[in-house]
Structure formats: C-alpha cells, structure tokens
PDB file of all heavy atoms in Angstrom:
ATOM      1  N   TYR Z 333      -5.783   2.591  20.678  1.00  0.00           N
ATOM      2  CA  TYR Z 333      -6.629   2.245  19.528  1.00  0.00           C
ATOM      3  C   TYR Z 333      -6.056   2.833  18.246  1.00  0.00           C
ATOM      4  O   TYR Z 333      -5.976   2.160  17.227  1.00  0.00           O
ATOM      5  CB  TYR Z 333      -8.040   2.768  19.763  1.00  0.00           C
ATOM      6  CG  TYR Z 333      -8.998   2.455  18.639  1.00  0.00           C
ATOM      7  CD1 TYR Z 333      -9.432   1.148  18.421  1.00  0.00           C
ATOM      8  CD2 TYR Z 333      -9.468   3.465  17.796  1.00  0.00           C
ATOM      9  CE1 TYR Z 333     -10.307   0.846  17.400  1.00  0.00           C
ATOM     10  CE2 TYR Z 333     -10.347   3.168  16.768  1.00  0.00           C
ATOM     11  CZ  TYR Z 333     -10.766   1.869  16.567  1.00  0.00           C
ATOM     12  OH  TYR Z 333     -11.627   1.577  15.545  1.00  0.00           O
ATOM     13  N   ALA Z 334      -5.606   4.075  18.334  1.00  0.00           N
ATOM     14  CA  ALA Z 334      -5.140   4.783  17.139  1.00  0.00           C
ATOM     15  C   ALA Z 334      -3.856   4.209  16.579  1.00  0.00           C
ATOM     16  O   ALA Z 334      -3.621   4.258  15.380  1.00  0.00           O
ATOM     17  CB  ALA Z 334      -4.959   6.267  17.447  1.00  0.00           C
ATOM     18  N   LYS Z 335      -3.009   3.651  17.438  1.00  0.00           N
ATOM     19  CA  LYS Z 335      -1.724   3.152  16.943  1.00  0.00           C
ATOM     20  C   LYS Z 335      -1.901   1.954  16.009  1.00  0.00           C
ATOM     21  O   LYS Z 335      -1.010   1.616  15.239  1.00  0.00           O
ATOM     22  CB  LYS Z 335      -0.800   2.794  18.106  1.00  0.00           C
ATOM     23  CG  LYS Z 335      -1.163   1.529  18.853  1.00  0.00           C
ATOM     24  CD  LYS Z 335      -0.113   1.209  19.897  1.00  0.00           C
ATOM     25  CE  LYS Z 335      -0.400  -0.120  20.578  1.00  0.00           C
ATOM     26  NZ  LYS Z 335       0.641  -0.500  21.539  1.00  0.00           N
ATOM     27  N   ASP Z 336      -3.067   1.312  16.085  1.00  0.00           N
ATOM     28  CA  ASP Z 336      -3.352   0.180  15.207  1.00  0.00           C
ATOM     29  C   ASP Z 336      -4.101   0.588  13.944  1.00  0.00           C
ATOM     30  O   ASP Z 336      -4.398  -0.240  13.098  1.00  0.00           O
ATOM     31  CB  ASP Z 336      -4.170  -0.876  15.960  1.00  0.00           C
ATOM     32  CG  ASP Z 336      -3.383  -1.490  17.108  1.00  0.00           C
ATOM     33  OD1 ASP Z 336      -2.161  -1.665  16.929  1.00  0.00           O
ATOM     34  OD2 ASP Z 336      -3.970  -1.780  18.154  1.00  0.00           O
ATOM     35  N   ILE Z 337      -4.446   1.882  13.836  1.00  0.00           N
ATOM     36  CA  ILE Z 337      -5.165   2.362  12.663  1.00  0.00           C
ATOM     37  C   ILE Z 337      -4.185   3.022  11.701  1.00  0.00           C
ATOM     38  O   ILE Z 337      -3.530   3.997  12.072  1.00  0.00           O
ATOM     39  CB  ILE Z 337      -6.250   3.380  13.060  1.00  0.00           C
ATOM     40  CG1 ILE Z 337      -7.245   2.721  14.019  1.00  0.00           C
ATOM     41  CG2 ILE Z 337      -6.969   3.923  11.833  1.00  0.00           C
ATOM     42  CD1 ILE Z 337      -8.278   3.670  14.562  1.00  0.00           C
ATOM     43  N   PRO Z 338      -4.055   2.518  10.496  1.00  0.00           N
ATOM     44  CA  PRO Z 338      -3.136   3.120   9.533  1.00  0.00           C
ATOM     45  C   PRO Z 338      -3.543   4.563   9.220  1.00  0.00           C
ATOM     46  O   PRO Z 338      -4.713   4.889   9.149  1.00  0.00           O
ATOM     47  CB  PRO Z 338      -3.302   2.230   8.288  1.00  0.00           C
ATOM     48  CG  PRO Z 338      -3.899   0.963   8.796  1.00  0.00           C
ATOM     49  CD  PRO Z 338      -4.754   1.357   9.956  1.00  0.00           C
ATOM     50  N   MET Z 339      -2.549   5.416   9.065  1.00  0.00           N
ATOM     51  CA  MET Z 339      -2.807   6.812   8.763  1.00  0.00           C
ATOM     52  C   MET Z 339      -2.899   7.060   7.264  1.00  0.00           C
ATOM     53  O   MET Z 339      -3.473   8.026   6.803  1.00  0.00           O
ATOM     54  CB  MET Z 339      -1.707   7.689   9.369  1.00  0.00           C
ATOM     55  CG  MET Z 339      -1.602   7.587  10.878  1.00  0.00           C
ATOM     56  SD  MET Z 339      -3.124   8.036  11.723  1.00  0.00           S
ATOM     57  CE  MET Z 339      -3.162   9.798  11.415  1.00  0.00           C
ATOM     58  N   ASN Z 340      -2.281   6.171   6.475  1.00  0.00           N
ATOM     59  CA  ASN Z 340      -2.314   6.293   5.020  1.00  0.00           C
ATOM     60  C   ASN Z 340      -1.991   4.938   4.399  1.00  0.00           C
ATOM     61  O   ASN Z 340      -1.711   3.977   5.112  1.00  0.00           O
ATOM     62  CB  ASN Z 340      -1.336   7.377   4.548  1.00  0.00           C
ATOM     63  CG  ASN Z 340       0.061   7.151   5.090  1.00  0.00           C
ATOM     64  OD1 ASN Z 340       0.637   6.092   4.911  1.00  0.00           O
ATOM     65  ND2 ASN Z 340       0.611   8.153   5.773  1.00  0.00           N
ATOM     66  N   ILE Z 341      -1.998   4.878   3.077  1.00  0.00           N
ATOM     67  CA  ILE Z 341      -1.813   3.582   2.416  1.00  0.00           C
ATOM     68  C   ILE Z 341      -0.367   3.098   2.448  1.00  0.00           C
ATOM     69  O   ILE Z 341      -0.098   1.926   2.140  1.00  0.00           O
ATOM     70  CB  ILE Z 341      -2.302   3.614   0.951  1.00  0.00           C
ATOM     71  CG1 ILE Z 341      -1.405   4.508   0.100  1.00  0.00           C
ATOM     72  CG2 ILE Z 341      -3.749   4.050   0.857  1.00  0.00           C
ATOM     73  CD1 ILE Z 341      -1.479   4.199  -1.363  1.00  0.00           C
ATOM     74  N   TYR Z 342       0.551   3.971   2.822  1.00  0.00           N
ATOM     75  CA  TYR Z 342       1.966   3.591   2.808  1.00  0.00           C
ATOM     76  C   TYR Z 342       2.310   2.523   3.840  1.00  0.00           C
ATOM     77  O   TYR Z 342       3.391   1.941   3.794  1.00  0.00           O
ATOM     78  CB  TYR Z 342       2.849   4.816   3.033  1.00  0.00           C
ATOM     79  CG  TYR Z 342       2.642   5.924   2.029  1.00  0.00           C
ATOM     80  CD1 TYR Z 342       2.704   7.256   2.409  1.00  0.00           C
ATOM     81  CD2 TYR Z 342       2.375   5.637   0.683  1.00  0.00           C
ATOM     82  CE1 TYR Z 342       2.507   8.279   1.480  1.00  0.00           C
ATOM     83  CE2 TYR Z 342       2.177   6.652  -0.240  1.00  0.00           C
ATOM     84  CZ  TYR Z 342       2.241   7.965   0.164  1.00  0.00           C
ATOM     85  OH  TYR Z 342       2.050   8.971  -0.746  1.00  0.00           O
ATOM     86  N   GLU Z 343       1.411   2.270   4.760  1.00  0.00           N
ATOM     87  CA  GLU Z 343       1.669   1.282   5.805  1.00  0.00           C
ATOM     88  C   GLU Z 343       1.321  -0.146   5.367  1.00  0.00           C
ATOM     89  O   GLU Z 343       1.512  -1.090   6.130  1.00  0.00           O
ATOM     90  CB  GLU Z 343       0.877   1.655   7.062  1.00  0.00           C
ATOM     91  CG  GLU Z 343       1.284   3.008   7.641  1.00  0.00           C
ATOM     92  CD  GLU Z 343       0.509   3.374   8.883  1.00  0.00           C
ATOM     93  OE1 GLU Z 343       0.246   2.468   9.700  1.00  0.00           O
ATOM     94  OE2 GLU Z 343       0.155   4.560   9.040  1.00  0.00           O
ATOM     95  N   PHE Z 344       0.815  -0.291   4.137  1.00  0.00           N
ATOM     96  CA  PHE Z 344       0.377  -1.609   3.672  1.00  0.00           C
ATOM     97  C   PHE Z 344       1.383  -2.274   2.740  1.00  0.00           C
ATOM     98  O   PHE Z 344       2.164  -1.603   2.057  1.00  0.00           O
ATOM     99  CB  PHE Z 344      -0.970  -1.484   2.958  1.00  0.00           C
ATOM    100  CG  PHE Z 344      -2.086  -1.068   3.863  1.00  0.00           C
ATOM    101  CD1 PHE Z 344      -2.480   0.262   3.932  1.00  0.00           C
ATOM    102  CD2 PHE Z 344      -2.737  -1.995   4.664  1.00  0.00           C
ATOM    103  CE1 PHE Z 344      -3.498   0.658   4.777  1.00  0.00           C
ATOM    104  CE2 PHE Z 344      -3.756  -1.604   5.512  1.00  0.00           C
ATOM    105  CZ  PHE Z 344      -4.141  -0.280   5.570  1.00  0.00           C
ATOM    106  N   LYS Z 345       1.294  -3.595   2.735  1.00  0.00           N
ATOM    107  CA  LYS Z 345       2.057  -4.414   1.791  1.00  0.00           C
ATOM    108  C   LYS Z 345       1.057  -5.236   0.983  1.00  0.00           C
ATOM    109  O   LYS Z 345       0.060  -5.718   1.522  1.00  0.00           O
ATOM    110  CB  LYS Z 345       3.008  -5.356   2.530  1.00  0.00           C
ATOM    111  CG  LYS Z 345       4.057  -4.665   3.365  1.00  0.00           C
ATOM    112  CD  LYS Z 345       4.860  -5.691   4.163  1.00  0.00           C
ATOM    113  CE  LYS Z 345       5.857  -5.018   5.091  1.00  0.00           C
ATOM    114  NZ  LYS Z 345       6.595  -6.018   5.923  1.00  0.00           N
ATOM    115  N   VAL Z 346       1.327  -5.398  -0.296  1.00  0.00           N
ATOM    116  CA  VAL Z 346       0.467  -6.200  -1.168  1.00  0.00           C
ATOM    117  C   VAL Z 346       1.357  -7.051  -2.067  1.00  0.00           C
ATOM    118  O   VAL Z 346       2.572  -6.863  -2.100  1.00  0.00           O
ATOM    119  CB  VAL Z 346      -0.453  -5.295  -2.030  1.00  0.00           C
ATOM    120  CG1 VAL Z 346      -1.482  -4.573  -1.163  1.00  0.00           C
ATOM    121  CG2 VAL Z 346       0.367  -4.280  -2.828  1.00  0.00           C
ATOM    122  N   ASN Z 347       0.748  -7.963  -2.792  1.00  0.00           N
ATOM    123  CA  ASN Z 347       1.498  -8.771  -3.755  1.00  0.00           C
ATOM    124  C   ASN Z 347       1.192  -8.304  -5.166  1.00  0.00           C
ATOM    125  O   ASN Z 347       0.031  -8.090  -5.517  1.00  0.00           O
ATOM    126  CB  ASN Z 347       1.139 -10.256  -3.620  1.00  0.00           C
ATOM    127  CG  ASN Z 347       1.668 -10.856  -2.339  1.00  0.00           C
ATOM    128  OD1 ASN Z 347       2.657 -10.387  -1.778  1.00  0.00           O
ATOM    129  ND2 ASN Z 347       1.016 -11.897  -1.856  1.00  0.00           N
ATOM    130  N   ASP Z 348       2.245  -8.178  -5.973  1.00  0.00           N
ATOM    131  CA  ASP Z 348       2.017  -7.777  -7.357  1.00  0.00           C
ATOM    132  C   ASP Z 348       1.544  -8.969  -8.181  1.00  0.00           C
ATOM    133  O   ASP Z 348       1.373 -10.080  -7.653  1.00  0.00           O
ATOM    134  CB  ASP Z 348       3.266  -7.107  -7.955  1.00  0.00           C
ATOM    135  CG  ASP Z 348       4.440  -8.067  -8.128  1.00  0.00           C
ATOM    136  OD1 ASP Z 348       4.250  -9.306  -8.071  1.00  0.00           O
ATOM    137  OD2 ASP Z 348       5.568  -7.573  -8.335  1.00  0.00           O
ATOM    138  N   ILE Z 349       1.307  -8.760  -9.452  1.00  0.00           N
ATOM    139  CA  ILE Z 349       0.746  -9.793 -10.327  1.00  0.00           C
ATOM    140  C   ILE Z 349       1.660 -11.020 -10.444  1.00  0.00           C
ATOM    141  O   ILE Z 349       1.222 -12.109 -10.805  1.00  0.00           O
ATOM    142  CB  ILE Z 349       0.444  -9.201 -11.730  1.00  0.00           C
ATOM    143  CG1 ILE Z 349      -0.543 -10.075 -12.510  1.00  0.00           C
ATOM    144  CG2 ILE Z 349       1.723  -8.947 -12.496  1.00  0.00           C
ATOM    145  CD1 ILE Z 349      -1.966  -9.902 -12.105  1.00  0.00           C
ATOM    146  N   HIS Z 350       2.951 -10.835 -10.079  1.00  0.00           N
ATOM    147  CA  HIS Z 350       3.908 -11.954 -10.097  1.00  0.00           C
ATOM    148  C   HIS Z 350       4.102 -12.537  -8.702  1.00  0.00           C
ATOM    149  O   HIS Z 350       5.023 -13.331  -8.481  1.00  0.00           O
ATOM    150  CB  HIS Z 350       5.255 -11.476 -10.658  1.00  0.00           C
ATOM    151  CG  HIS Z 350       5.166 -10.856 -12.017  1.00  0.00           C
ATOM    152  ND1 HIS Z 350       4.823 -11.569 -13.149  1.00  0.00           N
ATOM    153  CD2 HIS Z 350       5.333  -9.562 -12.420  1.00  0.00           C
ATOM    154  CE1 HIS Z 350       4.800 -10.753 -14.197  1.00  0.00           C
ATOM    155  NE2 HIS Z 350       5.106  -9.541 -13.783  1.00  0.00           N
ATOM    156  N   ASN Z 351       3.237 -12.115  -7.770  1.00  0.00           N
ATOM    157  CA  ASN Z 351       3.260 -12.572  -6.374  1.00  0.00           C
ATOM    158  C   ASN Z 351       4.490 -12.121  -5.590  1.00  0.00           C
ATOM    159  O   ASN Z 351       4.868 -12.751  -4.595  1.00  0.00           O
ATOM    160  CB  ASN Z 351       3.105 -14.095  -6.280  1.00  0.00           C
ATOM    161  CG  ASN Z 351       1.641 -14.504  -6.322  1.00  0.00           C
ATOM    162  OD1 ASN Z 351       0.795 -13.859  -5.721  1.00  0.00           O
ATOM    163  ND2 ASN Z 351       1.341 -15.564  -7.056  1.00  0.00           N
ATOM    164  N   ASN Z 352       5.101 -11.042  -6.020  1.00  0.00           N
ATOM    165  CA  ASN Z 352       6.189 -10.440  -5.253  1.00  0.00           C
ATOM    166  C   ASN Z 352       5.598  -9.421  -4.284  1.00  0.00           C
ATOM    167  O   ASN Z 352       4.697  -8.664  -4.644  1.00  0.00           O
ATOM    168  CB  ASN Z 352       7.184  -9.732  -6.182  1.00  0.00           C
ATOM    169  CG  ASN Z 352       7.823 -10.690  -7.167  1.00  0.00           C
ATOM    170  OD1 ASN Z 352       8.286 -11.763  -6.779  1.00  0.00           O
ATOM    171  ND2 ASN Z 352       7.843 -10.328  -8.436  1.00  0.00           N
ATOM    172  N   GLU Z 353       6.114  -9.407  -3.068  1.00  0.00           N
ATOM    173  CA  GLU Z 353       5.609  -8.451  -2.076  1.00  0.00           C
ATOM    174  C   GLU Z 353       6.032  -7.024  -2.439  1.00  0.00           C
ATOM    175  O   GLU Z 353       7.177  -6.780  -2.812  1.00  0.00           O
ATOM    176  CB  GLU Z 353       6.141  -8.800  -0.685  1.00  0.00           C
ATOM    177  CG  GLU Z 353       5.566  -7.916   0.415  1.00  0.00           C
ATOM    178  CD  GLU Z 353       6.057  -8.289   1.795  1.00  0.00           C
ATOM    179  OE1 GLU Z 353       7.159  -7.840   2.168  1.00  0.00           O
ATOM    180  OE2 GLU Z 353       5.344  -9.061   2.496  1.00  0.00           O
ATOM    181  N   VAL Z 354       5.076  -6.134  -2.330  1.00  0.00           N
ATOM    182  CA  VAL Z 354       5.328  -4.726  -2.648  1.00  0.00           C
ATOM    183  C   VAL Z 354       4.895  -3.867  -1.455  1.00  0.00           C
ATOM    184  O   VAL Z 354       3.770  -3.970  -0.982  1.00  0.00           O
ATOM    185  CB  VAL Z 354       4.536  -4.278  -3.898  1.00  0.00           C
ATOM    186  CG1 VAL Z 354       4.739  -2.786  -4.148  1.00  0.00           C
ATOM    187  CG2 VAL Z 354       4.937  -5.093  -5.108  1.00  0.00           C
ATOM    188  N   LYS Z 355       5.806  -3.025  -0.982  1.00  0.00           N
ATOM    189  CA  LYS Z 355       5.476  -2.062   0.062  1.00  0.00           C
ATOM    190  C   LYS Z 355       4.952  -0.809  -0.625  1.00  0.00           C
ATOM    191  O   LYS Z 355       5.621  -0.244  -1.494  1.00  0.00           O
ATOM    192  CB  LYS Z 355       6.702  -1.734   0.906  1.00  0.00           C
ATOM    193  CG  LYS Z 355       7.224  -2.914   1.713  1.00  0.00           C
ATOM    194  CD  LYS Z 355       8.449  -2.522   2.514  1.00  0.00           C
ATOM    195  CE  LYS Z 355       8.981  -3.706   3.327  1.00  0.00           C
ATOM    196  NZ  LYS Z 355      10.197  -3.341   4.097  1.00  0.00           N
ATOM    197  N   LEU Z 356       3.773  -0.382  -0.215  1.00  0.00           N
ATOM    198  CA  LEU Z 356       3.154   0.751  -0.909  1.00  0.00           C
ATOM    199  C   LEU Z 356       3.825   2.087  -0.634  1.00  0.00           C
ATOM    200  O   LEU Z 356       3.513   3.084  -1.290  1.00  0.00           O
ATOM    201  CB  LEU Z 356       1.660   0.821  -0.564  1.00  0.00           C
ATOM    202  CG  LEU Z 356       0.827  -0.350  -1.093  1.00  0.00           C
ATOM    203  CD1 LEU Z 356      -0.651  -0.136  -0.801  1.00  0.00           C
ATOM    204  CD2 LEU Z 356       1.040  -0.553  -2.596  1.00  0.00           C
ATOM    205  N   ASP Z 357       4.780   2.106   0.289  1.00  0.00           N
ATOM    206  CA  ASP Z 357       5.503   3.360   0.495  1.00  0.00           C
ATOM    207  C   ASP Z 357       6.414   3.688  -0.693  1.00  0.00           C
ATOM    208  O   ASP Z 357       6.967   4.790  -0.768  1.00  0.00           O
ATOM    209  CB  ASP Z 357       6.286   3.342   1.814  1.00  0.00           C
ATOM    210  CG  ASP Z 357       7.352   2.248   1.866  1.00  0.00           C
ATOM    211  OD1 ASP Z 357       7.542   1.526   0.868  1.00  0.00           O
ATOM    212  OD2 ASP Z 357       7.989   2.125   2.925  1.00  0.00           O
ATOM    213  N   LYS Z 358       6.538   2.758  -1.628  1.00  0.00           N
ATOM    214  CA  LYS Z 358       7.291   3.053  -2.848  1.00  0.00           C
ATOM    215  C   LYS Z 358       6.577   4.119  -3.687  1.00  0.00           C
ATOM    216  O   LYS Z 358       7.180   4.730  -4.570  1.00  0.00           O
ATOM    217  CB  LYS Z 358       7.491   1.788  -3.682  1.00  0.00           C
ATOM    218  CG  LYS Z 358       6.231   1.230  -4.317  1.00  0.00           C
ATOM    219  CD  LYS Z 358       6.508   0.054  -5.253  1.00  0.00           C
ATOM    220  CE  LYS Z 358       6.970   0.514  -6.602  1.00  0.00           C
ATOM    221  NZ  LYS Z 358       7.098  -0.560  -7.592  1.00  0.00           N
ATOM    222  N   TYR Z 359       5.289   4.330  -3.388  1.00  0.00           N
ATOM    223  CA  TYR Z 359       4.504   5.311  -4.145  1.00  0.00           C
ATOM    224  C   TYR Z 359       4.403   6.667  -3.428  1.00  0.00           C
ATOM    225  O   TYR Z 359       3.598   7.511  -3.817  1.00  0.00           O
ATOM    226  CB  TYR Z 359       3.089   4.777  -4.381  1.00  0.00           C
ATOM    227  CG  TYR Z 359       3.048   3.555  -5.275  1.00  0.00           C
ATOM    228  CD1 TYR Z 359       2.858   2.286  -4.736  1.00  0.00           C
ATOM    229  CD2 TYR Z 359       3.211   3.672  -6.657  1.00  0.00           C
ATOM    230  CE1 TYR Z 359       2.817   1.160  -5.546  1.00  0.00           C
ATOM    231  CE2 TYR Z 359       3.170   2.553  -7.469  1.00  0.00           C
ATOM    232  CZ  TYR Z 359       2.982   1.298  -6.916  1.00  0.00           C
ATOM    233  OH  TYR Z 359       2.946   0.189  -7.728  1.00  0.00           O
ATOM    234  N   LYS Z 360       5.215   6.858  -2.410  1.00  0.00           N
ATOM    235  CA  LYS Z 360       5.181   8.129  -1.678  1.00  0.00           C
ATOM    236  C   LYS Z 360       5.388   9.305  -2.624  1.00  0.00           C
ATOM    237  O   LYS Z 360       6.265   9.273  -3.493  1.00  0.00           O
ATOM    238  CB  LYS Z 360       6.254   8.151  -0.585  1.00  0.00           C
ATOM    239  CG  LYS Z 360       5.826   7.490   0.709  1.00  0.00           C
ATOM    240  CD  LYS Z 360       6.884   7.654   1.787  1.00  0.00           C
ATOM    241  CE  LYS Z 360       6.421   7.022   3.094  1.00  0.00           C
ATOM    242  NZ  LYS Z 360       7.443   7.129   4.156  1.00  0.00           N
ATOM    243  N   GLY Z 361       4.567  10.328  -2.433  1.00  0.00           N
ATOM    244  CA  GLY Z 361       4.701  11.533  -3.242  1.00  0.00           C
ATOM    245  C   GLY Z 361       3.978  11.490  -4.573  1.00  0.00           C
ATOM    246  O   GLY Z 361       4.019  12.463  -5.333  1.00  0.00           O
ATOM    247  N   GLU Z 362       3.276  10.374  -4.840  1.00  0.00           N
ATOM    248  CA  GLU Z 362       2.571  10.249  -6.117  1.00  0.00           C
ATOM    249  C   GLU Z 362       1.054  10.186  -5.899  1.00  0.00           C
ATOM    250  O   GLU Z 362       0.583   9.728  -4.863  1.00  0.00           O
ATOM    251  CB  GLU Z 362       3.047   8.993  -6.852  1.00  0.00           C
ATOM    252  CG  GLU Z 362       4.516   9.081  -7.237  1.00  0.00           C
ATOM    253  CD  GLU Z 362       5.008   7.857  -7.987  1.00  0.00           C
ATOM    254  OE1 GLU Z 362       4.798   6.734  -7.492  1.00  0.00           O
ATOM    255  OE2 GLU Z 362       5.607   8.021  -9.054  1.00  0.00           O
ATOM    256  N   VAL Z 363       0.333  10.652  -6.884  1.00  0.00           N
ATOM    257  CA  VAL Z 363      -1.134  10.576  -6.870  1.00  0.00           C
ATOM    258  C   VAL Z 363      -1.517   9.214  -7.441  1.00  0.00           C
ATOM    259  O   VAL Z 363      -0.993   8.794  -8.483  1.00  0.00           O
ATOM    260  CB  VAL Z 363      -1.755  11.713  -7.705  1.00  0.00           C
ATOM    261  CG1 VAL Z 363      -3.275  11.541  -7.815  1.00  0.00           C
ATOM    262  CG2 VAL Z 363      -1.418  13.065  -7.086  1.00  0.00           C
ATOM    263  N   LEU Z 364      -2.434   8.518  -6.771  1.00  0.00           N
ATOM    264  CA  LEU Z 364      -2.779   7.151  -7.181  1.00  0.00           C
ATOM    265  C   LEU Z 364      -4.269   6.997  -7.449  1.00  0.00           C
ATOM    266  O   LEU Z 364      -5.099   7.664  -6.829  1.00  0.00           O
ATOM    267  CB  LEU Z 364      -2.384   6.160  -6.078  1.00  0.00           C
ATOM    268  CG  LEU Z 364      -0.958   6.208  -5.552  1.00  0.00           C
ATOM    269  CD1 LEU Z 364      -0.801   5.229  -4.397  1.00  0.00           C
ATOM    270  CD2 LEU Z 364       0.047   5.905  -6.654  1.00  0.00           C
ATOM    271  N   LEU Z 365      -4.560   6.094  -8.366  1.00  0.00           N
ATOM    272  CA  LEU Z 365      -5.933   5.642  -8.579  1.00  0.00           C
ATOM    273  C   LEU Z 365      -5.919   4.135  -8.395  1.00  0.00           C
ATOM    274  O   LEU Z 365      -5.231   3.416  -9.139  1.00  0.00           O
ATOM    275  CB  LEU Z 365      -6.427   6.008  -9.984  1.00  0.00           C
ATOM    276  CG  LEU Z 365      -7.928   5.784 -10.236  1.00  0.00           C
ATOM    277  CD1 LEU Z 365      -8.766   6.736  -9.376  1.00  0.00           C
ATOM    278  CD2 LEU Z 365      -8.281   5.974 -11.705  1.00  0.00           C
ATOM    279  N   ILE Z 366      -6.629   3.659  -7.388  1.00  0.00           N
ATOM    280  CA  ILE Z 366      -6.670   2.223  -7.084  1.00  0.00           C
ATOM    281  C   ILE Z 366      -8.010   1.670  -7.553  1.00  0.00           C
ATOM    282  O   ILE Z 366      -9.070   2.193  -7.210  1.00  0.00           O
ATOM    283  CB  ILE Z 366      -6.477   1.981  -5.571  1.00  0.00           C
ATOM    284  CG1 ILE Z 366      -5.114   2.540  -5.142  1.00  0.00           C
ATOM    285  CG2 ILE Z 366      -6.583   0.494  -5.250  1.00  0.00           C
ATOM    286  CD1 ILE Z 366      -4.826   2.394  -3.654  1.00  0.00           C
ATOM    287  N   VAL Z 367      -7.937   0.599  -8.358  1.00  0.00           N
ATOM    288  CA  VAL Z 367      -9.141   0.069  -9.010  1.00  0.00           C
ATOM    289  C   VAL Z 367      -9.198  -1.450  -8.870  1.00  0.00           C
ATOM    290  O   VAL Z 367      -8.187  -2.130  -9.081  1.00  0.00           O
ATOM    291  CB  VAL Z 367      -9.142   0.412 -10.529  1.00  0.00           C
ATOM    292  CG1 VAL Z 367     -10.499   0.121 -11.143  1.00  0.00           C
ATOM    293  CG2 VAL Z 367      -8.728   1.853 -10.771  1.00  0.00           C
ATOM    294  N   ASN Z 368     -10.372  -1.982  -8.525  1.00  0.00           N
ATOM    295  CA  ASN Z 368     -10.546  -3.435  -8.585  1.00  0.00           C
ATOM    296  C   ASN Z 368     -11.098  -3.778  -9.976  1.00  0.00           C
ATOM    297  O   ASN Z 368     -12.085  -3.200 -10.421  1.00  0.00           O
ATOM    298  CB  ASN Z 368     -11.469  -3.950  -7.478  1.00  0.00           C
ATOM    299  CG  ASN Z 368     -12.874  -3.402  -7.545  1.00  0.00           C
ATOM    300  OD1 ASN Z 368     -13.091  -2.200  -7.404  1.00  0.00           O
ATOM    301  ND2 ASN Z 368     -13.860  -4.280  -7.773  1.00  0.00           N
ATOM    302  N   VAL Z 369     -10.419  -4.660 -10.659  1.00  0.00           N
ATOM    303  CA  VAL Z 369     -10.709  -4.899 -12.079  1.00  0.00           C
ATOM    304  C   VAL Z 369     -11.146  -6.343 -12.346  1.00  0.00           C
ATOM    305  O   VAL Z 369     -10.999  -7.224 -11.505  1.00  0.00           O
ATOM    306  CB  VAL Z 369      -9.463  -4.574 -12.939  1.00  0.00           C
ATOM    307  CG1 VAL Z 369      -9.136  -3.087 -12.848  1.00  0.00           C
ATOM    308  CG2 VAL Z 369      -8.259  -5.405 -12.497  1.00  0.00           C
TER     309      VAL Z 369
END
C-alpha cells in the first residue's frame, strides 16, 4: 500500500502555463507556496 503513496511532492509531474511537462523534483531543496488562483 505504501509504495503507491507519494512521500513528497517531488514524485509528481504537472503542466506549466505553456503546457510543458514539469517534474516537481526540480524544486528540491526549496521552500514552496502552492496556490490555486
């Protein structure tokens, strides 16, 4: 069960405003504020 549960946000991929895929591990080591706008 646990192997399917992400441990942090770095395991996710999203699309940026230009629809390019972004791996969130690019933000490793940084403090983030995620907001729905």
Side-chain angles (χ1 to χ4, degrees):
Y333 180 71
K335 73 175 185 177
D336 295 324
I337 300 175
M339 299 301 290
N340 53 55
I341 68 158
Y342 303 143
E343 298 180 39
F344 294 97
K345 298 174 184 177
V346 292
N347 290 334
D348 67 15
I349 199 79
H350 304 293
N351 276 319
N352 299 312
E353 185 178 83
V354 176
K355 294 179 180 179
L356 293 185
D357 62 3
K358 69 174 279 187
Y359 294 103
K360 276 185 178 178
E362 296 181 308
V363 174
L364 308 176
L365 190 66
I366 300 178
V367 192
N368 62 296
V369 295

